[in-house]
Amino acid sequence: MKSFFHEKFHIYSFKYRDNLSILITFFSFILFLAILIFILFNSTPLMNADLSLFEKVVSAVLLLSFLYSGLHCVGYLDHILKSVILYDDELIENKKETNGGNAFVAIVIPTLNEDPDMVRKTVMDAKSLDYQNYDIFLIDSSTDLEIRDKTEEMSKKLNINYIYRDNLRGYKAGSINDSVACLHEKFEYLLILDSDHRLKRSVLGDLIPLLENDPDLTFIQTPQYFKARENDRLGLAYSFQQHIFYKHICRGLCVNKTAYICGTNVILRLNHLKEVGGMDETCITEDISTSFKLHSNGCKSIYIDKVYAEGLAPPSLSAYYGQQLRWSYGTFQNTKRVIKRFITEPGTLKSLQWWEYIVLNGTWYFIGVAIFVWLLYPVIVLIFNLKPLVLGSLNIPFYIFVVMIITQTLASYLERGYPLRKLLLSQALFFSLFPVYTKALIYGLMNKELKFNVTPKEGAKNNVERTEFKEILPQIGFMIILTISIVVGIIKLGNGENTATYPSIILWASYSLLMLVIFIIYFYLDDKSVKNPDLNS
């Protein structure tokens, strides 16, 4: 579905596309510079001799968190502006020609202890594409013998290629590389497909001509789309989060010539992938690390904003948390390598590509620490009498944050009919992730190994259990101390203390408490071992 804003306001003349891109980038830079100056201006109270060392440290950390927030708000605005103004929604229509239908494509479906019935439905849709020259390869690493036998039997009945791996080397990346090693030289392209994603018939007919018409194009990424029922609370919130990424961020990444591989629904040129040694088996998030390898090798990528596959959202809170932990840990893994490459070979990528990999992607999951700081601040001020650091009426990071939220809400409502209520619920779910992201950061800094786990899906034999109470203890703990801090703050206000600054701090504490309460009531208490409904044909 085309962006509403694109249809209404898109500047379709691409004659000045590069100039407009530079102009938007310059605007984003100036905006961030304004935030930086504002933060530095507000750091002068740290020199105040009346503040204790503890108060100065807390205030400095808070200012850094505001700077971090401002950075990513500006990054989002940069992406959505380029998405609306510069992203070419007519890529397929403009470039699709008659040639390209004869190239051989290998569709690779990696599985690891996945429900054979779910996989069968994925394979059935993959066998029904409007394209002639393709084969399906199911690469199975299942450790459960019963699942393995059923998957192999299913593959024989459906007459697809079945490859069994008796090891877990490189996990998903290793599975893909092993399947590539088995391919006949006639195959030119590789479509990576997760076992729960149901393909649309037109995917190869639409996308292969783009690759055929541009020999320099290495891969095409398409959206991950999750359709949830009205009573699937987690699925609805998850689909909203993914919508923001694939509808707003990925389009901007494409304009910045940094479209990433996103795990599934991606078509790659095989000889380019082989040139960089295949998928990266050393990073737990093989998609972003392989993207960096390819871009560092001068490869070109694009993002096509058209849904060619529908998948299943995580069926439980614990599955969602496990997925987010793996994604954030893998990003920290990759970022350390990216920084090292930047120091040793800064000419490998263009400036905007380094910006995307190091600053925006590389620091995104620090959001866990930032939320922790924002939750802790009102507690320290209201209960322990820390002198409050107040940014005043000219609070640029706050205003940019408000603009970002309004933009997300309005755009998502117009694009997919998401109401404000769903945005609020999605924010509450995201708010609860601070312990997960903080854990990933600590593991990454300590180089502690994190075991690769496939995100459980509906029907899996190892059915996902209800999230254990101990996993939400950080959220419960903050709910308690935030409640206490709000009560204490109200009492202090009643006594006439800090009437100028305490109200805003109490308001923030109340909002934070509301987010955590919504999370507990709406998501945690609803988190049972209920299977996600499979997608209907």
Side-chain angles (χ1 to χ4, degrees), residues 95-121:
K95 298 181 181 180
K96 187 176 179 181
E97 298 177 4
T98 55
N99 63 317
N102 296 322
F104 280 86
V105 182
I107 299 178
V108 171
I109 306 175
T111 65
L112 174 59
N113 297 328
E114 305 280 16
D115 174 35
D117 186 56
M118 179 192 71
V119 179
R120 181 186 63 81
K121 294 171 183 176

Side-chain angles (χ1 to χ4, degrees), residues 57 68 77 98 214 221 287 333 368-369 400 434 480:
V57 170
Y68 168 86
L77 292 175
T98 55
D214 186 353
Q221 179 64 54
D287 46 9
Q333 268 188 315
V369 176
I400 294 175
F434 70 92
I480 295 171

Side-chain angles (χ1 to χ4, degrees), residues 340-357:
K340 183 177 179 181
R341 186 73 176 269
F342 175 72
I343 294 172
T344 58
E345 301 176 65
T348 303
L349 296 179
K350 296 179 180 178
S351 299
L352 272 180
Q353 291 177 312
W354 285 122
W355 169 262
E356 296 288 358
Y357 274 109

Side-chain angles (χ1 to χ4, degrees), residues 479-511:
M479 285 175 61
I480 295 171
I481 58 177
L482 281 171
T483 301
I484 295 172
S485 66
I486 291 168
V487 172
V488 171
I490 292 173
I491 293 173
K492 288 183 176 181
L493 274 180
N495 294 331
E497 298 181 34
N498 263 314
T499 54
T501 57
Y502 277 178
S504 61
I505 298 174
I506 293 172
L507 183 63
W508 169 248
S510 302
Y511 172 80

